[in-house]
Amino acid sequence: MAESKSVVIAALIANGAIAVLKFLGFLLTGSAAMLSETYHSISDTGNQVFLLIGIRYSNKEASREHPFGYGKAQFFYSFLVSVLLFGIAGWESAKHGYDAIMHPHVPEQGAATLLGYTFPGVWVNYGVLIAAILFEGWALKKAWAGMKKDIEQHNWSGLTEAFKKTTNVTTLTAFTEDTIALSGAAIALFGIYLSRITGNPIYDAVAALLIGLLLMGFAVALAWENKRLLLGESLPKSEERELRDIIEGWDGVVNIVDFRTVVFGPEDAILTADIAFDKGIATAEMDQKITDLEDALMEQNGSVSKVYIEPETRWRSRKEEAG
């Protein structure tokens, strides 16, 4: 959790500073791409704020109203990010880019003065976007470290499998966001440069549209990712298989009648199982077997925070039913 929080704070620092500088570049030149990038960075900054709220809220102790804790708060706030921030910012960016394509105008060639030295305003755009690429590269490196740790911990094949299976939406969101932010800044820099050297504003306008489409694409992907977790997804099949193997091989266990897992938060899952035990086991011995089994299951998978084992007395083997 501490690592996830550090990833979010790193991105928040970078995006907050960049948003201000991008808006300054837009004011100097009127570049459509710079306005789209301003929307982008504002949404990124708001994203980090929401994720920090989610992390803090999810750390609240379980209560009578929420007996399994508040872990799903991170899923909710991450979903909120996709709808309120990236969806709106992406739409506004794309709309502004489309309008610039339909009604092209050459960005202003204003000048800026710093320490008594006057230079073309477009240089501000270049400087801000290059700084953005460096900042986002730094934030992406920290987010990748978090993703890599999750991949190694769960022995996943790579990013594709991690995106489908991870419950650590904070790190996943930061990683995806930083990747898109890096791409957006590069697209804006390229589009502004081409418009500058050719005098054709279409490149700047197309860059603005592409940035908007990137943001909307990310909004859809992030919303879809969080939907599965908000609805109560189980642990991955491979992890469930490992847990079932432990139960099936446990001394005194005859059969697993029912087995279920559900994710309640990042690295926080609950396991329930109805198990048929050998006949004739004394009550005290049965209690000890269940306690030891619960401990073994939680030790096997660090994501499992609670285990509920119910001895199933009504179950009969097929051999008994046939007899």
Side-chain angles (χ1 to χ4, degrees):
M1 186 68 69
E3 287 193 11
S4 295
K5 189 173 182 179
S6 69
V7 168
V8 175
I9 292 175
L12 175 62
I13 294 171
N15 292 321
I18 292 168
V20 175
L21 294 174
K22 284 178 179 177
F23 185 63
L24 176 61
F26 164 70
L27 291 178
L28 286 171
T29 64
S31 165
M34 285 305 288
L35 182 58
S36 288
E37 274 298 285
T38 300
Y39 284 137
H40 190 168
S41 289
I42 290 174
S43 67
D44 285 351
T45 304
N47 174 24
Q48 310 311 321
V49 172
F50 272 117
L51 291 180
L52 286 174
I53 293 173
I55 291 175
R56 183 171 182 177
Y57 198 81
S58 65
N59 286 334
K60 291 178 64 177
E61 294 292 332
S63 62
R64 187 190 64 79
E65 294 84 2
H66 298 274
F68 295 111
Y70 294 79
K72 284 194 175 184
Q74 287 196 50
F75 305 152
F76 169 74
Y77 282 105
S78 186
F79 182 83
L80 206 60
V81 163
S82 68
V83 176
L84 296 182
L85 298 177
F86 285 95
I88 295 174
W91 171 255
E92 288 298 323
S93 296
K95 184 173 69 173
H96 187 75
Y98 177 78
D99 183 67
I101 293 173
M102 294 294 100
H103 307 93
H105 68 279
V106 179
E108 299 174 13
Q109 304 299 322
T113 301
L114 180 65
L115 301 177
Y117 180 73
T118 301
F119 49 88
V122 72
W123 288 13
V124 175
N125 290 350
Y126 294 155
V128 170
L129 290 172
I130 291 172
I133 291 172
L134 295 175
F135 272 125
E136 296 298 350
W138 168 64
L140 180 60
K141 182 180 179 181
K142 289 186 69 66
W144 166 243
M147 286 296 298
K148 187 177 180 181
K149 181 179 179 181
D150 281 351
I151 291 172
E152 293 174 348
Q153 180 180 343
H154 295 89
N155 198 29
W156 290 328
S157 60
L159 283 174
T160 301
E161 187 176 6
F163 191 90
K164 293 179 180 178
K165 295 182 178 180
T166 186
T167 60
N168 190 353
V169 294
T170 300
T171 300
L172 175 65
T173 301
F175 175 79
T176 311
E177 170 211 299
D178 292 333
T179 301
I180 292 177
L182 202 59
S183 302
I187 290 172
L189 181 61
F190 191 55
I192 292 171
Y193 175 73
L194 286 179
S195 287
R196 171 72 174 180
I197 63 173
T198 64
N200 189 344
I202 192 65
Y203 299 108
D204 183 272
V206 169
L209 177 61
L210 289 177
I211 292 166
L213 293 177
L214 269 177
L215 283 169
M216 288 192 290
F218 174 63
V220 172
L222 185 59
W224 186 262
E225 168 68 12
N226 281 279
K227 178 185 77 75
R228 66 178 178 83
L229 296 168
L230 283 170
L231 292 178
E233 188 178 54
S234 63
L235 288 172
K237 287 183 180 179
S238 59
E239 295 184 25
E240 283 197 341
R241 182 68 262 171
E242 293 173 350
L243 296 169
R244 290 181 69 99
D245 288 344
I246 290 177
I247 297 175
E248 290 171 346
W250 204 257
D251 180 44
V253 172
V254 176
N255 188 54
I256 299 176
V257 180
D258 188 42
F259 178 94
R260 302 182 188 188
T261 63
V262 62
V263 174
F264 272 85
E267 303 300 318
D268 182 16
I270 291 176
L271 185 157
T272 66
D274 293 345
I275 301 174
F277 287 89
D278 287 331
K279 291 183 177 179
I281 299 178
T283 301
E285 184 182 356
M286 176 74 74
D287 288 343
Q288 187 59 50
K289 283 182 178 293
I290 291 175
T291 299
D292 293 342
L293 178 55
E294 289 174 345
D295 291 341
L297 292 170
M298 287 188 285
E299 184 178 348
Q300 168 64 30
N301 191 315
S303 297
V304 178
S305 58
K306 296 180 181 64
V307 178
Y308 298 100
I309 302 294
E310 179 71 22
E312 184 55 72
T313 58
R314 294 172 296 176
W315 183 86
R316 296 190 304 164
S317 67
R318 292 179 180 175
K319 207 179 274 189
E320 289 176 318
E321 289 176 350

